[in-house]
Amino acid sequence: MDITVVISQMIQLFLILTLGYISAKTKVTNQKFGIQLSNFILSITIPCMMIASVATMPSNSDKNDIVLMFIISVLFYIIMPVVAYLIIRILGVKKEERNLYMYMTIWSNVGFMGFPVIASIFGEGAIFYATIFNLIFNVSNFTLGIMLMSKEGKNALNLKNFLTPGMVASLIAVAMVAANIHLPDILNNTVKTVGDTTTPLAMIVIGISLAGISIKSVFTELRLYPYVIIKQILLPGAAWLILKNFIASPYILGIVIIIIAMPVATSAVLFANKYDNNVALATKGVFITTLASIVTIPIISYLLF
């Protein structure tokens, strides 16, 4: 693993975030623009990213590894709500913040940060396996995730809300994997180009949201410090101890553990904006865990692999 590549990737993300922060502080953008941009990302760029990543899957992929990654992903998002609930009880999270903490624990930054970091550690071929994980991420995120982040809870999952662009794109992507469908080059290049804007735009949204709260308050959110240790060191460490007994391939095991070690998904801020949740806490959670990942991801990589 080239540690400089991983660190460089993290620094680039923070520089883009800083641009979003400066743009809001200098009145080039405002919080309303951040909300509109969040909706654009959720409705346009993320669906394009999902479809493009599946369309470019390698033809020589090991079918057994694909099935294994799919099963692991499904089991992960079934088990994680229970693990997340235990973590928030251990941390003594306030009742009004529990759903948000559960969201931040269950959904890590698989697509925005996970793809480039995994590619830097395991090579470009690993992105497809991360994509499988990301498919289940999106199916669960646009169902259970909406329930947790919306004040309407289960009532938010009517047919209209269920069939969001992200959910529809997830279902299309799953069908494409199952049927081994590839888009024509001109279509694939188009959706890939749009999808590639997701990461920088998402970091800009976080920067804009960060501009709306006190920087001091970000670092005085004391509960986030033990939370980082649990989520980004203890949780992937425990997952490794368990999964190494069931996953024979060090390659697949490594991809899964690095995904688990990722910081809070930037969709926490996007969903908080969309569903009028605690945007300030979501922004703090994404910022602190992403900052910590500059140290925690290399540590996990060296200790476990």
Side-chain angles (χ1 to χ4, degrees):
M1 179 188 70
D2 188 345
I3 188 66
T4 59
V5 174
V6 177
I7 294 175
S8 174
Q9 181 66 43
M10 306 297 184
I11 292 174
Q12 287 178 41
L13 293 174
F14 270 99
L15 289 176
I16 297 172
L17 182 152
T18 301
L19 286 177
Y21 179 85
I22 293 173
S23 73
K25 283 296 186 182
T26 56
K27 309 299 182 183
V28 173
T29 61
N30 54 37
Q31 297 303 315
K32 182 179 180 181
F33 175 80
I35 294 172
Q36 292 173 331
L37 190 55
S38 295
N39 289 332
F40 179 79
I41 295 169
L42 289 169
S43 301
I44 305 296
T45 71
I46 288 179
C48 285
M49 181 181 69
M50 288 189 288
I51 292 173
S53 61
V54 174
T56 56
M57 67 181 184
S59 58
N60 61 344
S61 300
D62 189 315
K63 300 300 182 183
N64 291 330
D65 283 346
I66 292 174
V67 172
L68 177 61
M69 182 61 83
F70 183 83
I71 293 172
I72 292 170
S73 305
V74 171
L75 290 175
F76 177 82
Y77 287 109
I78 291 175
I79 294 170
M80 274 308 296
V82 178
V83 174
Y85 182 77
L86 293 174
I87 289 174
I88 66 172
R89 299 299 289 182
I90 291 171
L91 291 174
V93 176
K94 292 181 290 186
K95 185 176 181 179
E96 62 269 22
E97 296 177 353
R98 287 176 186 170
N99 281 3
L100 179 54
Y101 263 94
M102 283 191 66
Y103 183 96
M104 293 194 298
T105 305
I106 297 168
W107 291 281
S108 297
N109 199 333
V110 180
F112 299 163
M113 184 183 292
F115 285 1
V117 171
I118 286 170
S120 71
I121 297 174
F122 300 103
E124 292 291 332
I127 293 180
F128 172 65
Y129 294 100
T131 296
I132 298 172
F133 208 99
N134 200 46
L135 289 177
I136 310 304
F137 169 106
N138 282 291
V139 171
S140 61
N141 193 25
F142 284 97
T143 50
L144 178 59
I146 290 175
M147 289 170 57
L148 288 174
M149 295 296 277
S150 172
K151 294 177 181 178
E152 298 176 3
K154 293 180 181 179
N155 295 328
L157 285 184
N158 55 48
L159 183 61
K160 179 181 178 181
N161 288 340
F162 181 78
L163 293 177
T164 60
M167 189 64 194
V168 171
S170 295
L171 295 175
I172 291 173
V174 170
M176 289 173 67
V177 171
N180 195 26
I181 296 173
H182 292 265
L183 293 176
D185 287 345
I186 189 168
L187 288 178
N188 185 61
N189 291 338
T190 300
V191 294
K192 184 179 186 304
T193 300
V194 176
D196 285 346
T197 67
T198 299
T199 297
L201 290 180
M203 298 311 293
I204 287 171
V205 167
I206 295 169
I208 293 171
S209 298
L210 194 62
I213 60 178
S214 164
I215 290 294
K216 181 180 178 181
S217 72
V218 174
F219 294 99
T220 55
E221 190 75 38
L222 299 182
R223 188 176 283 111
L224 286 174
Y225 293 102
Y227 176 75
V228 164
I229 295 173
I230 293 173
K231 174 175 170 54
Q232 292 174 256
I233 296 180
L234 298 183
L235 190 59
W240 178 77
L241 289 173
I242 295 170
L243 293 178
K244 71 176 183 176
N245 299 306
F246 302 97
I247 303 176
S249 168
Y251 182 69
I252 297 298
L253 178 62
I255 294 170
V256 171
I257 298 303
I258 291 299
I259 287 173
I260 295 173
M262 283 290 134
V264 171
T266 50
S267 58
V269 176
L270 304 181
F271 273 24
N273 271 316
K274 183 176 179 64
Y275 295 105
D276 195 25
N277 207 305
N278 192 336
V279 178
L281 179 57
T283 301
K284 294 174 187 178
V286 171
F287 181 82
I288 290 294
T289 56
T290 304
L291 181 63
S293 67
I294 297 176
V295 176
T296 59
I297 290 176
I299 287 176
I300 291 295
S301 300
Y302 275 119
L303 289 180
L304 304 185
F305 313 122

